[in-house]
Amino acid sequence: MAQALSEEEFQRMQAQLLELRTNNYQLSDELRKNGVELTSLRQKVAYLDKEFSKAQKALSKSKKAQEVEVLLSENEMLQAKLHSQEEDFRLQNSTLMAEFSKVLVPGIVKGEMRGRGHLG
């Protein structure tokens, strides 16, 4: 039942076993190195995600700051325009009041004269 292995077969099996163990050790070492590298890369990804998030927030704030700057500039322009329109209105009002006085004062004087003439 039990057959004895020849010396040659025994040497061949020992060589195969040694080769398999060597391959196993090499693969285990590569697995360990890959695990360390994977952990390192995951940490880098987490760090880069945080930095990316910070950069996005900074960019958002920068865009908001630009929008505020545009709004402030537009506000200054509109205030200048309003001031100019107020000056134009004052000038128009002054001119109209002067014209009104020119028309009204002689009419009132004539009316007073007529009123005096009728009364007197």
Side-chain angles (χ1 to χ4, degrees), residues 18-89:
L18 183 60
E19 184 182 341
L20 289 172
R21 282 185 179 167
T22 303
N23 286 342
N24 189 33
Y25 288 134
Q26 288 174 345
L27 291 174
S28 292
D29 190 46
E30 282 183 42
L31 179 62
R32 183 190 57 76
K33 287 178 184 176
N34 287 341
V36 168
E37 185 180 5
L38 178 61
T39 301
S40 173
L41 291 173
R42 284 183 175 159
Q43 289 173 348
K44 285 181 184 177
V45 165
Y47 171 76
L48 291 174
D49 279 344
K50 287 179 185 177
E51 291 300 308
F52 181 67
S53 179
K54 288 179 188 177
Q56 281 183 319
K57 288 178 183 176
L59 180 62
S60 176
K61 287 180 182 179
S62 174
K63 285 182 181 178
K64 287 179 183 175
Q66 287 175 348
E67 289 172 5
V68 167
E69 189 64 36
V70 166
L71 289 173
L72 288 173
S73 175
E74 186 177 336
N75 190 30
E76 286 178 20
M77 179 197 63
L78 290 172
Q79 284 180 341
K81 187 175 179 180
L82 177 62
H83 182 70
S84 173
Q85 287 178 345
E86 286 175 342
E87 289 299 317
D88 289 348
F89 174 76

Side-chain angles (χ1 to χ4, degrees), residues 94-118:
S94 172
T95 304
L96 286 174
M97 291 303 280
E99 289 294 319
F100 183 67
S101 293
K102 286 180 187 176
V103 171
L104 189 61
V105 169
I108 292 174
V109 171
K110 285 181 184 175
E112 285 178 1
M113 291 180 150
R114 285 185 192 155
R116 287 182 188 162
H118 291 299

